[in-house]
Amino acid sequence: MDDFIPSENLSGVEQLKRSAVIATQNVARLRSELENEPDEFTRSRLLKLLVYEAEKSRLTHQQLDRIDGHMAELRELTYRQVELVEKGNLKGQIVERAVKLLALLNDLMANYQTLRRRLSPLTE
């Protein structure tokens, strides 16, 4: 655990971005088609597709909510870890390990913040 290196593999984020761009394009196209379509059956089908594409955006909002929850928990853990280190209730190697854990928590928070910044534009 002392040699933990945060992962930079964000291909999932890139895939999500691509998916969000496609969904946005689909929503725009479907809205245009829906406005111009005289046939009720086709309009009904277009409306269902439009709702389906809008649902994809909702999933991204749920991911952001989950990330926000993880970040809040991580802030609490970090706060407690800082208190332990500052109080000096730890001795010797335990202090060293606590400082390493604090650095790990900070790295993890930075990764969550980066992920959140990358996902945020997808929800607009």
Side-chain angles (χ1 to χ4, degrees), residues 35-100:
E35 289 173 4
N36 300 319
E37 181 58 51
D39 180 53
E40 286 301 316
F41 177 75
T42 304
R43 286 176 56 83
S44 172
R45 195 182 87 233
L46 289 171
L47 188 57
K48 286 178 184 176
L49 289 171
L50 185 60
V51 169
Y52 173 76
E53 291 297 329
E55 181 71 16
K56 290 180 183 178
S57 174
R58 187 179 71 79
L59 294 175
T60 303
H61 283 284
Q62 288 174 338
Q63 288 173 321
L64 285 175
D65 291 344
R66 195 167 40 249
I67 289 170
D68 288 342
H70 291 314
M71 288 174 69
E73 291 173 13
L74 189 56
R75 267 188 221 96
E76 183 63 31
L77 286 171
T78 303
Y79 177 74
R80 281 191 249 144
Q81 193 66 21
V82 166
E83 281 184 328
L84 284 174
V85 171
E86 286 180 348
K87 286 181 180 176
N89 292 343
L90 309 173
K91 297 185 174 138
Q93 288 184 340
I94 297 175
V95 171
E96 186 177 314
R97 290 176 73 192
V99 170
K100 285 183 180 182

Side-chain angles (χ1 to χ4, degrees), residues 4 20 32 39 70 92 110-111:
F4 176 77
S32 175
D39 180 53
H70 291 314
N111 284 338

Side-chain angles (χ1 to χ4, degrees), residues 5 10 12 26 33-34 36 41 43 50 84 91 106 114:
I5 299 172
L10 297 174
N26 287 344
E33 288 179 25
L34 190 60
N36 300 319
F41 177 75
R43 286 176 56 83
L50 185 60
L84 284 174
K91 297 185 174 138
N106 284 331
T114 299

